[in-house]
Amino acid sequence: MGWDISYHPVASEEIKSIYFRGLADPNFHEELVARFGVDEFYAEQLKVRFEEARRIEQDVPFNKGHAFYAAIIFGFLRKYNYIRGGAFSFLADDPVFSPCVTDWRTLVPEDFKGLRFNNALTENYCGGVFISHDGLLRLREMYEKEAHAKSALDENFSHGRLNVFWKAVDEALAEGCGLLEASEVIEPNPLDLNSSRCLSNLFNCHPDGALLYAEAAMEQLNEVVANQEPPKKKSWFARLFG
């Protein structure tokens, strides 16, 4: 199974003021519906996701539980971006990039600080890194000025995916937000995008990344059909996701 990565614009303080407040107040979703203009169908879904998040057990690691659900919740509130296989978590252990990543423990209420924390993706269907507004500014500057940062980002987000990542970064910066990374909030079907699966608002996801994924899948499929055998040299799609 590959990685279906989404990036959600979220301000650092909103982890408490929106997500955790929503856990504490069963009616808070109604205020969010009005504030963010959530339509009737997704308003009900938002309520259901908060109810599910309240039932997360204390022994569930934070990234597998609350970080994942925070991404789902914010997917109902703002537009977000999708990148197949493009996880910043893959760079999180690099000492050049690790200062850009915020420690999740610093963002949660005191009652939740005793949970097990990971500041990156550890498996599918979980939350990943949180990069604050300042961290995104730092990342932008590093890419322009540091050769290692540029090379690593170019490789990690290869084949057109870096443009989608920078779009996510720039939109978050424009809103005064950081970025919350998650895996499998949305699972596009590259051969039929209309049948894609999503735990949040599918229509809030910008289509760029999913279209890139679909184009790569069709290219690979057409090559296989033309040759009637797997290609000797795998495309980037096959190498990453085959």
Side-chain angles (χ1 to χ4, degrees), residues 18 28-38 46 50 73 77:
I18 290 182
F28 182 60
H29 70 281
E30 297 174 0
E31 179 180 326
L32 297 178
V33 167
R35 189 195 312 179
F36 290 93
V38 182
L46 178 64
F50 268 125
I73 293 299
L77 307 183

Side-chain angles (χ1 to χ4, degrees), residues 168-210:
V169 169
D170 292 341
E171 288 181 351
L173 289 173
E175 295 192 42
C177 291
L179 278 180
L180 193 171
E181 174 193 65
S183 172
E184 280 72 52
V185 169
I186 176 173
E187 298 177 88
N189 181 336
L191 302 182
D192 181 10
L193 292 177
N194 289 327
S195 64
S196 299
R197 300 173 57 191
C198 188
L199 295 171
S200 191
N201 184 343
L202 175 64
F203 298 103
N204 269 350
C205 183
H206 291 299
D208 313 48

Side-chain angles (χ1 to χ4, degrees), residues 188-238:
N189 181 336
L191 302 182
D192 181 10
L193 292 177
N194 289 327
S195 64
S196 299
R197 300 173 57 191
C198 188
L199 295 171
S200 191
N201 184 343
L202 175 64
F203 298 103
N204 269 350
C205 183
H206 291 299
D208 313 48
L211 290 172
L212 194 65
Y213 179 26
E215 290 170 5
M218 289 304 301
E219 176 185 334
Q220 178 74 2
L221 181 62
N222 289 336
E223 188 175 351
V224 171
V225 171
N227 294 324
Q228 291 299 304
E229 62 181 14
K232 294 180 180 179
K233 183 178 180 181
K234 288 189 175 183
S235 69
W236 73 272
F237 172 82

Side-chain angles (χ1 to χ4, degrees), residues 94 96-97 141-155:
D94 187 322
V96 171
F97 293 105
E141 183 177 6
M142 287 166 52
Y143 184 78
E144 298 299 328
K145 296 182 178 180
E146 300 182 24
H148 172 75
K150 184 179 188 307
S151 175
L153 286 165
D154 285 346
E155 181 178 354

Side-chain angles (χ1 to χ4, degrees), residues 70-184:
I72 294 170
I73 293 299
F74 283 100
F76 290 110
L77 307 183
R78 293 191 181 103
K79 298 285 187 180
Y80 57 96
N81 285 272
Y82 165 85
I83 306 175
R84 175 68 176 184
F88 192 85
S89 283
F90 301 159
L91 302 173
D93 289 335
D94 187 322
V96 171
F97 293 105
S98 57
C100 297
V101 176
T102 299
D103 183 352
W104 272 109
R105 196 184 301 271
T106 66
L107 301 176
V108 306
E110 287 296 324
D111 291 348
F112 291 85
K113 291 187 184 294
L115 299 179
R116 286 183 289 155
F117 286 85
N118 289 290
N119 291 316
L121 294 170
T122 55
E123 57 186 295
N124 296 105
Y125 299 98
C126 73
V129 301
F130 183 86
I131 309 175
S132 69
H133 186 271
D134 287 345
L136 294 178
L137 289 172
R138 180 173 185 168
L139 190 61
R140 262 298 193 187
E141 183 177 6
M142 287 166 52
Y143 184 78
E144 298 299 328
K145 296 182 178 180
E146 300 182 24
H148 172 75
K150 184 179 188 307
S151 175
L153 286 165
D154 285 346
E155 181 178 354
N156 195 62
F157 296 99
S158 62
H159 299 88
R161 295 173 298 160
L162 186 59
N163 291 334
V164 182
F165 180 69
W166 286 135
K167 179 179 179 181
V169 169
D170 292 341
E171 288 181 351
L173 289 173
E175 295 192 42
C177 291
L179 278 180
L180 193 171
E181 174 193 65
S183 172
E184 280 72 52

